[in-house]
Amino acid sequence: MKRILVTGKNSYIGNQFEEWVNQYKDHYMIDKISVRDLEWKDTDFSAYDTILHLAGIAHVSRDPKMEELYYKVNCDLTIELAKKAKSEGVKQFIFLSSIIVYGESSTTEKVINRNTVPIPSNFYGNSKLQAERKINELVDDNFKIAIIRPPMIYGKGSKGNYPKLAKAALKVPFFPDIENERSMLHIDNLCEFIRIIINNKEEGLFFPQNNQYTKTSELVRLIGEAHGKQVKLTKVFNPLIKPLIGRVEILNKLFGNLKYDHEISGYKDDYIVKSFVDSIKHTEH
């Protein structure tokens, strides 16, 4: 039986992961702890095979007053947890980083491969990248670190941009049909990937994603369709919107390009348990 300690007692991914592995009876034992205060320091990490570190500040803020907190939580806390894990004999430490270490989406076709150098454009991304670099210094033959840089994660109950798009899909009769491509990752595919790399005692850097890129307008159309609503896609507004992508933040998030080369997302074991279309149906129902 694999003994796993999840940081982030009420985290969306942590709760979904616990639910996901519950289908494999007698194979996994999951405990979750909060790291909001200092009580976690009294937890005996030696009882666990893997620490799955999910706690952190996940949303992007441009408020300079928040910068210190981002580094304290996303970087310093991660290092403390990893050091404690190593000193107490934990064999594997998994850190959930983010595609945001590569910066924001782009008006050009931005394809990230293994040679792409991370250039964070905000302190959220930089706090994650600095944490990655620091904990990698702890790696040795007895302490493995797996860093996951997922793209946008979505699923039933998720937060962030997906529920905003879903809400829009149920209100608007038309949506701009603009060509773009983004990597996304359904929560079940992520949970299965994490389960597999725990089983395989993996270490290194990983880039899981769905097996097809997402076009924002097609995503909105499918969300509407899942609710029996037809959202018509139109190019009428494209001449007005396209020049503003890259200059207006919300439009850049909606219609910019940000994707991983599929070559770096492959793994020896298949972790895609839901196709893109099925994942939308499952999320919306």
Side-chain angles (χ1 to χ4, degrees), residues 200-211:
N200 294 341
K201 303 176 182 178
E202 284 285 9
E203 62 180 336
L205 188 58
F206 301 93
F207 312 86
Q209 65 174 325
N210 290 345
N211 54 12

Side-chain angles (χ1 to χ4, degrees), residues 2-278:
K2 293 286 185 181
R3 298 164 300 170
I4 304 161
L5 180 64
V6 177
T7 69
K9 198 166 187 178
N10 298 310
S11 76
Y12 171 70
I13 296 173
N15 290 338
Q16 293 296 312
F17 180 71
E18 182 178 32
E19 185 177 322
W20 182 256
V21 298
N22 278 343
Q23 65 186 298
Y24 300 95
K25 298 296 184 183
D26 303 323
H27 286 81
Y28 305 94
M29 182 197 77
I30 305 287
D31 286 331
K32 295 185 292 184
I33 59 168
S34 170
V35 291
R36 288 181 177 271
D37 50 38
L38 299 180
E39 289 185 14
W40 65 268
K41 293 188 175 183
D42 297 324
T43 302
D44 181 10
F45 282 14
S46 67
Y48 301 97
D49 302 298
T50 297
I51 304 296
L52 175 57
H53 180 38
L54 303 174
I57 304 177
H59 65 280
V60 176
S61 171
R62 302 193 186 281
D63 183 353
K65 294 178 181 178
M66 294 289 290
E67 184 170 1
E68 183 180 352
L69 182 61
Y70 271 72
Y71 283 101
K72 183 178 179 180
V73 174
N74 289 343
C75 185
D76 298 346
L77 176 62
T78 300
I79 297 165
E80 282 190 80
L81 285 160
K83 285 181 176 179
K84 177 176 168 64
K86 181 177 181 177
S87 69
E88 296 184 10
V90 177
K91 299 299 183 184
Q92 184 189 45
F93 186 88
I94 300 176
F95 174 50
L96 198 77
S97 186
S98 171
I99 195 174
I100 207 69
V101 300
Y102 295 102
E104 303 286 354
S105 50
S106 170
T107 53
T108 58
E109 187 177 354
K110 187 171 184 176
V111 185
I112 298 163
N113 57 41
R114 289 195 182 276
N115 298 319
T116 304
V117 177
I119 306 178
S121 59
N122 52 57
F123 44 78
Y124 167 57
N126 195 47
S127 66
K128 288 286 191 179
L129 184 60
Q130 294 307 315
E132 289 184 19
R133 290 172 175 170
K134 291 292 185 180
I135 63 174
N136 269 329
E137 295 174 3
L138 302 173
V139 173
D140 61 26
D141 291 341
N142 297 311
F143 187 59
K144 296 182 176 182
I145 289 181
I147 295 170
I148 303 174
R149 290 178 181 167
M152 186 175 88
I153 299 164
Y154 67 101
K156 188 179 293 294
S158 64
K159 299 177 181 179
N161 289 330
Y162 181 91
K164 294 176 184 176
L165 279 174
K167 188 177 290 186
L170 299 180
K171 290 182 177 180
V172 299
F174 303 97
F175 195 82
D177 187 9
I178 292 176
E179 297 296 327
N180 74 317
E181 290 186 318
R182 302 184 71 94
S183 290
M184 290 177 61
L185 182 62
H186 186 260
I187 185 63
D188 287 356
N189 294 337
L190 172 61
C191 289
E192 177 65 2
F193 182 78
I194 293 172
R195 186 188 72 84
I196 290 172
I197 67 170
I198 289 173
N199 283 354
N200 294 341
K201 303 176 182 178
E202 284 285 9
E203 62 180 336
L205 188 58
F206 301 93
F207 312 86
Q209 65 174 325
N210 290 345
N211 54 12
Q212 69 182 84
Y213 298 131
T214 302
K215 177 182 173 183
T216 304
S217 57
E218 181 64 11
L219 173 61
V220 170
R221 188 190 68 79
L222 286 171
I223 292 172
E225 188 177 89
H227 291 274
K229 181 179 182 296
Q230 183 180 14
V231 180
K232 294 182 179 179
L233 304 182
T234 176
K235 296 183 184 293
V236 171
F237 308 107
N238 290 19
L240 296 174
I241 294 174
K242 281 186 175 182
L244 298 176
I245 300 174
R247 295 161 57 189
V248 178
E249 184 176 358
I250 184 63
L251 294 179
N252 199 41
K253 286 183 177 181
L254 283 173
F255 302 114
N257 296 285
L258 187 62
K259 61 183 181 179
Y260 285 130
D261 187 324
H262 279 297
E263 184 274 329
I264 68 173
S265 297
Y267 188 68
K268 59 186 176 183
D269 298 323
D270 186 17
Y271 59 89
I272 302 298
V273 294
K274 281 188 174 62
S275 69
F276 176 60
V277 173
D278 286 343

